Amino acid sequence: MSRFFSKNYSSLVPYVPGEQPKHLSSFVKLNTNESPFPPSDKALAYAAENTRPFNLYSDPECTELVKQLSKTYGVEPENVLCGNGSDEILYFAFAAFCSDDQPAMFADITYGFYPVFAQMARVPYKIIPLKDDLSMDLDAFWQNGAAFIANPNAPTGIALSAAEIESFVSAYSDRIVVVDEAYVDFGAESCVELTKKYDNLLVVQTFSKSRSMAGARLGFAIGNKELIGDLKTLKYSLNPYNINSYTAALGVGTLLDQGYTDKNCSVIIENRQYASEKLKELGFEMTDSKANFIFAKHKNMSGEEIYLKLKENKVLVRHFGLDRIKDYNRITVGSRAQMDSLAAALEKILK
Ligand SMILES: *Cc1c(COP(=O)(O)O)cnc(C)c1O
């Protein structure tokens, strides 16, 4: 830390992203929940044709993209905001909807960025422990504050039903509920429809996982017009051109080829089932994941040892040191071939 670093941030602990190895091809990379599939050819062709010239600023309204998103999700353009990854939007939500008398609330085991965003936005936060079975304890969110709920949750993969979230949102209509649906396309129920009925519900999604666009950085929020307006106030106060022109066009192309996304999601769901069975045979216990990852622990070997030995065998997974989940590893569900390499490496390690 330099002697000039603001004391506002002197205790800020940044998020630690999953490793991105230099020699990509030498690893089976199952540590950051990316899609194993490239964007569709149609989407890439659309982007090649429709990207605004780079000497011009990108469209701050993302007009085409917002139009296409509103069509896809059956809402009005005024209900949609795009961000540079959903991370950016989540940060805006912490800054926009939390304050000293309205702390952020989120689970003890959830997306690791939430406490970082709260610190960045300089707002207080309350930690709500998951239940013993690692499911979300919605009842414990009764307190005053803005609730941030990843659904499915990360890194457990466990999902709440839309009905459970609706009963919470309707019971606490004086407070905002932000549902982070980064993984919803892999088999959980979305709350997007509910945003039409409840003005205290904001849903955030991303193109990074189910839509094969992690490196292009694109996320979006859907909610009541006023909530979207608040987020826009922050976006236009920081960087109106937060989505680059290529990403905006690729996003439209991807939405126009929804069949490709749907097919890839079904393959991932099948491969999740396939890999879960293999892991079970090898003696692993898993949570009921509705995401593109498996959260698994083994009775005979610590989570950290499995992580390290897999790495020696050129398979990267994600291990978190937090006490409650240190026995587990989060393993991205990839292609069938990747799942076979994983199983082979585990078999060797556990022998
Ligand atoms: C991956 C992820 C995100 C955001 O990803 P972006 O790439 O910034 O869109 C948000 N929430 C959760 C829970 C995630 O796992």
Side-chain angles (χ1 to χ4, degrees):
M1 196 187 302
S2 83
R3 65 203 155 93
F4 304 109
F5 193 54
S6 165
K7 67 173 183 305
N8 291 348
Y9 293 115
S10 57
S11 61
L12 180 64
V13 182
Y15 179 74
V16 183
E19 299 154 88
Q20 297 288 352
K22 284 210 184 64
H23 301 289
L24 264 188
S25 56
S26 65
F27 278 95
V28 179
K29 192 171 177 308
L30 305 176
N31 67 334
T32 49
N33 300 340
E34 291 138 326
S35 171
F37 311 112
S40 81
D41 289 339
K42 281 185 199 161
L44 292 165
Y46 181 92
E49 285 285 305
N50 293 281
T51 298
R52 191 174 159 108
F54 281 131
N55 56 313
L56 303 180
Y57 277 113
S58 58
D59 171 13
E61 294 284 336
C62 297
T63 314
E64 276 310 306
L65 180 57
V66 165
K67 199 195 286 175
Q68 205 54 47
L69 277 166
S70 60
K71 257 193 211 164
T72 303
Y73 289 95
V75 296
E76 297 301 318
E78 67 195 22
N79 302 121
V80 180
L81 176 80
C82 294
N84 191 303
S86 55
D87 287 338
E88 183 184 55
I89 295 186
L90 289 164
Y91 167 67
F92 286 157
F94 275 84
F97 304 125
C98 303
S99 55
D100 286 342
D101 53 2
Q102 174 119 321
M105 286 187 285
F106 45 82
D108 57 341
I109 307 297
T110 190
Y111 190 33
F113 242 129
Y114 298 161
V116 182
F117 289 147
Q119 290 170 63
M120 271 293 280
R122 308 187 68 214
V123 296
Y125 59 92
K126 288 187 207 164
I127 305 274
I128 314 289
L130 296 181
K131 296 183 196 164
D132 288 341
D133 65 358
L134 300 182
S135 65
M136 192 76 67
D137 190 1
L138 263 192
D139 293 338
F141 279 79
W142 60 269
Q143 306 157 66
N144 176 52
F148 288 80
I149 294 169
N151 193 52
N153 194 18
T156 65
I158 299 170
L160 294 162
S161 69
E164 287 171 291
I165 293 179
E166 177 168 17
S167 60
F168 180 77
V169 168
S170 65
Y172 297 102
S173 58
D174 59 339
R175 98 159 55 121
I176 185 165
V177 180
V178 177
V179 180
D180 178 354
E181 295 190 346
Y183 299 104
V184 78
D185 296 335
F186 302 104
E189 294 174 6
S190 174
C191 289
V192 164
E193 251 335 275
L194 296 176
T195 61
K196 296 177 188 169
K197 202 166 154 193
Y198 299 99
D199 66 0
N200 59 324
L201 173 65
L202 184 80
V203 172
V204 180
Q205 289 197 17
T206 177
F207 280 64
S208 294
K209 278 81 188 219
S210 59
R211 293 194 157 104
S212 302
M213 280 178 56
R217 313 302 305 129
L218 184 60
F220 60 96
I222 295 183
N224 174 270
K225 180 176 143 198
E226 276 76 37
L227 294 181
I228 295 297
D230 295 340
L231 297 172
K232 278 187 185 167
T233 299
L234 296 197
K235 159 183 156 144
Y236 281 93
S237 303
L238 180 73
N239 180 9
Y241 312 110
N242 58 341
I243 314 292
N244 76 71
S245 304
Y246 182 81
T247 293
L250 188 61
V252 175
T254 296
L255 290 169
L256 290 171
D257 195 5
Q258 183 64 31
Y260 178 78
T261 297
D262 293 343
K263 188 190 87 209
N264 288 344
C265 290
S266 339
V267 172
I268 295 297
I269 291 169
E270 274 169 35
N271 291 355
R272 181 175 70 208
Q273 187 61 31
Y274 174 77
S276 300
E277 276 158 26
K278 295 224 161 203
L279 290 184
K280 204 181 280 171
E281 281 166 25
L282 290 167
F284 282 90
E285 260 180 56
M286 285 149 279
T287 56
D288 178 21
S289 173
K290 294 280 185 282
N292 68 340
F293 55 79
I294 293 167
F295 199 51
K297 68 173 176 183
H298 198 274
K299 50 188 186 316
N300 302 334
M301 201 180 277
S302 80
E304 187 174 22
E305 194 174 0
I306 290 172
Y307 159 75
L308 289 171
K309 291 206 162 143
L310 277 175
K311 194 171 172 182
E312 274 170 31
N313 284 276
K314 299 290 179 192
V315 178
L316 272 186
V317 299
R318 190 95 205 251
H319 179 257
F320 297 93
L322 294 173
D323 219 38
R324 274 188 92 177
I325 53 168
K326 64 179 186 334
D327 292 342
Y328 287 86
N329 279 288
R330 190 195 69 190
I331 306 168
T332 302
V333 176
S335 65
R336 191 59 72 106
Q338 287 177 314
M339 296 300 93
D340 284 333
S341 307
L342 166 75
L346 285 171
E347 207 165 329
K348 183 175 149 199
I349 290 165
L350 291 163
K351 211 183 297 179

